[in-house]
């Protein structure tokens, strides 16, 4: 099933020399913008585009919890501090009782979704995932947003199934939508260095295209600020835009910056990384994402990696969504970055920036607005 293609949105004509005055911007224009545009020019263009797409001034968020069913992962990506070997003392597979308690707590807090992701565990096949999904759906009414493309490919390969068969089986068992994790930068030159065992760009895109074809909505992400060049960022954005033109299945784009703490990428001097992404770099990439991805409705601010204050500023640089309340988050926290917040704090932060806070569901349908009071 194809999703209805989203209408094309065009950038307002501007007179600044490095911000294009044509409709859809080209790769070349985007590269120039990323390298030379003034941050406020970029922000204003992105903010104007956000206003055209979301004229009601709503900034949404979802109440959910990240549940990591295992931290065992054979990929061992250099930028990841979360993975463990199977025999490590703190390696785990989450037991069902703990899983159900976490879901009950999420529902009790008004949650509508769980984001369920884990490592690539060599002993878990398709039966484990089917049983996991069914056991949740038998007990709870909650949306399962789960298993990023690297997990789906690993399940497929280890169970001798195609991507299409795997997604079909998982969907039948209760998987509702697919998160855009594992994209990092969709350039195989970069992936070969960051995560040589991970699926290549074409397979990441193939999983998303297949999921869209089965009627499942997905998000798209980008992790930047490690070893990529501006050209690699544009290559990534272009691959997402091109697929969205064909399927319309992405609900949102979520750019977030590499968090270096406890990762091989920062500890091993051969990678020559010395610093984290600055606030200015983050805002420029965020704004450019809004401008370039004219066929994706929602751009998410990443308070988990940038903190609440910069996420608040992001709302004037193209973002219209505050992501999740993240009742629990373990992957970014394993790098030593642990911004915490609550639904109340998110509502206050959005309102203080001049927007109407609204709780949404996984597909960005508004469930409730908070025009006054919490
Ligand atoms: S980023 Fe994902 S695939 Fe890579 S090591 Fe961490 S858990 Fe595994």
């Amino acid at each position: 099933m194809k999703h209805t293609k989203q209408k094309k949105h065009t950038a307002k004509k501007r007179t600044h020399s490095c911000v294009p005055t044509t409709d859809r911007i080209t790769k070349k224009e985007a590269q120039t913008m990323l390298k030379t545009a003034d941050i406020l020019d970029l922000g204003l263009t992105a903010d104007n585009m956000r206003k055209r797409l979301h004229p009601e001034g709503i900034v949404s968020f979802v109440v959910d919890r990240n549940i990591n069913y295992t931290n065992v992962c054979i990929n061992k990506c250099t930028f990841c501090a979360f993975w463990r070997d199977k025999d490590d003392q703190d390696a785990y597979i989450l037991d069902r009782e703990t899983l159900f308690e976490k879901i009950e707590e999420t529902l009790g807090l008004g949650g509508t979704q769980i984001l369920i992701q884990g490592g690539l565990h060599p002993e878990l096949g398709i039966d484990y995932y089917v049983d996991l999904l069914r056991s949740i759906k038998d007990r709870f009414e909650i949306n399962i947003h789960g298993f990023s493309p690297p997990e789906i490919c690993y399940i497929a390969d280890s169970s001798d199934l195609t991507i299409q068969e795997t997604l079909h089986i998982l969907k039948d068992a209760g998987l509702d939508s697919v998160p855009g994790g594992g994209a990092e930068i969709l350039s195989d030159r970069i992936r070969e260095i960051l995560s040589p065992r991970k699926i290549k760009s074409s397979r990441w895109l193939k999983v998303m295209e297949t999921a869209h074809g089965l009627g499942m909505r997905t998000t798209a992400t980008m992790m930047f600020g490690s070893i990529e060049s501006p050209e690699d960022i544009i290559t990534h954005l272009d691959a997402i835009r091109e697929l969205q033109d064909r399927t319309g299945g992405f609900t949102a784009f979520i750019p977030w910056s590499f968090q270096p703490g406890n990762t091989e990428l920062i500890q091993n001097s051969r990678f020559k990384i010395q610093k984290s992404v600055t606030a200015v770099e983050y805002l420029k990439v965020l704004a450019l994402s809004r401008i370039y991805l004219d066929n994706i409705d929602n751009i998410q601010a990443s308070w988990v990696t940038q903190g609440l204050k910069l996420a608040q500023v992001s709302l004037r640089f193209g973002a219209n969504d505050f992501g999740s309340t993240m009742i629990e988050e373990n992957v970014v926290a394993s790098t030593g970055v642990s911004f915490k917040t609550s639904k109340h704090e998110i509502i206050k932060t959005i309102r203080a920036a001049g927007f109407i806070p609204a709780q949404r569901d996984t597909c960005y349908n508004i469930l409730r607005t908070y025009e006054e009071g919490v």
Side-chain angles (χ1 to χ4, degrees):
M1 178 180 102
K2 291 242 175 191
H3 300 276
T4 311
K5 281 201 185 152
Q6 297 174 10
K7 67 175 186 283
K8 303 260 168 63
H9 303 282
T10 54
K12 192 176 177 183
K13 289 187 193 306
R14 291 176 49 83
T15 51
H16 300 283
S17 57
C18 50
V19 176
T21 54
T22 54
D23 291 342
R24 172 168 268 195
I25 65 168
T26 64
K27 285 174 84 170
K28 200 156 181 287
E29 286 169 333
Q31 277 168 26
T32 308
M33 287 167 82
L34 194 53
K35 288 179 189 167
T36 65
D38 179 88
I39 182 173
L40 294 181
D41 285 349
L42 270 181
L44 190 58
T45 307
D47 195 43
N48 282 334
M49 197 156 167
R50 192 264 317 152
K51 275 185 201 148
R52 273 197 301 285
L53 291 168
H54 304 280
E56 64 297 323
I58 283 178
V59 169
S60 52
F61 63 91
V62 67
V63 178
D64 88 338
R65 168 176 218 142
N66 279 14
I67 298 179
N68 303 112
Y69 57 93
T70 181
N71 61 350
V72 173
C73 188
I74 53 123
N75 263 5
K76 306 183 182 183
C77 303
T78 58
F79 60 85
C80 176
F82 176 71
W83 67 267
R84 295 290 181 273
D85 270 325
K86 188 162 68 68
D87 300 324
D88 284 345
Q89 273 202 330
D90 51 353
Y92 71 85
I93 298 177
L94 205 64
D95 64 78
R96 290 295 152 86
E97 201 185 323
T98 311
L99 171 74
F100 297 155
E101 276 169 19
K102 285 174 187 286
I103 298 174
E104 261 165 31
E105 194 191 357
T106 307
L107 288 167
L109 291 166
T112 56
Q113 160 185 300
I114 51 167
L115 169 55
I116 188 157
Q117 292 189 120
L120 312 187
H121 193 303
E123 287 166 7
L124 302 181
I126 187 85
D127 293 344
Y128 168 85
Y129 294 93
V130 167
D131 193 50
L132 179 73
L133 291 164
R134 290 216 172 110
S135 71
I136 296 171
K137 286 291 186 179
D138 282 350
R139 287 168 181 78
F140 305 103
E141 241 183 76
I142 198 156
N143 195 89
I144 306 179
H145 187 51
F147 313 130
S148 59
E151 289 165 276
I152 288 169
C153 287
Y154 192 64
I155 301 167
D157 294 347
S158 53
S159 302
D160 210 12
L161 296 163
T162 64
I163 290 170
Q164 170 107 7
E165 288 164 344
T166 305
L167 278 167
H168 214 286
I169 293 169
L170 296 176
K171 184 173 181 239
D172 268 3
L175 182 64
D176 294 296
S177 53
V178 177
E184 281 77 69
I185 291 286
L186 293 172
S187 151
D188 288 342
R189 183 179 67 80
I190 298 298
R191 298 177 84 75
E192 204 47 56
I193 302 167
L194 288 184
S195 44
R197 294 185 196 87
K198 209 169 217 171
I199 55 171
K200 301 294 177 241
S201 311
S202 57
R203 276 198 107 193
W204 189 95
L205 291 161
K206 173 84 183 160
V207 170
M208 290 313 192
E209 185 168 5
T210 308
H212 297 169
L214 291 171
M216 301 169 91
R217 304 306 299 271
T218 78
T219 54
T221 65
M222 174 171 71
M223 184 198 77
F224 65 98
S226 62
I227 54 169
E228 81 286 340
S229 65
E231 285 76 11
D232 296 315
I233 289 177
I234 308 305
T235 298
H236 182 106
L237 293 177
D238 196 61
I240 301 289
R241 188 169 78 174
E242 193 276 329
L243 179 55
Q244 180 75 340
D245 273 346
R246 288 188 286 116
T247 66
F250 289 122
T251 52
F253 183 68
I254 311 153
W256 55 284
S257 60
F258 164 59
Q259 303 301 308
N262 303 326
T263 66
E264 187 192 345
L265 200 55
I266 198 78
Q267 284 159 357
N268 189 330
S269 57
R270 89 185 157 92
F271 295 114
K272 299 189 180 74
I273 295 190
Q274 273 136 31
K275 61 171 183 65
S276 312
V277 162
T278 65
V280 168
E281 287 164 337
Y282 171 74
L283 291 173
K284 282 180 108 171
V285 171
L286 181 80
L288 185 69
S289 303
R290 174 62 290 165
I291 297 164
Y292 200 85
L293 298 173
D294 55 6
N295 54 2
I296 295 186
D297 278 345
N298 303 293
I299 302 287
Q300 205 176 100
S302 176
W303 66 262
V304 180
T305 57
Q306 308 304 319
L308 277 180
K309 289 186 176 168
L310 189 56
Q312 194 181 38
V313 176
S314 303
L315 302 179
R316 291 291 172 194
F317 281 78
N320 67 293
D321 187 83
F322 228 69
S324 147
T325 52
M326 295 231 188
I327 297 162
E328 176 179 348
E329 198 287 327
N330 304 304
V331 176
V332 175
S334 60
T335 66
V337 175
S338 62
F339 291 112
K340 292 254 182 266
T341 192
S342 62
K343 179 173 160 182
H344 179 74
E345 196 67 30
I346 285 182
I347 290 170
K348 260 178 39 187
T349 305
I350 293 170
R351 196 180 282 140
F355 296 94
I356 303 165
Q359 186 179 342
R360 63 163 171 86
D361 65 13
T362 309
C363 290
Y364 288 77
N365 300 305
I366 299 299
L367 302 176
R368 142 163 213 205
T369 56
Y370 294 86
E371 302 205 24
E372 48 190 65
V374 172

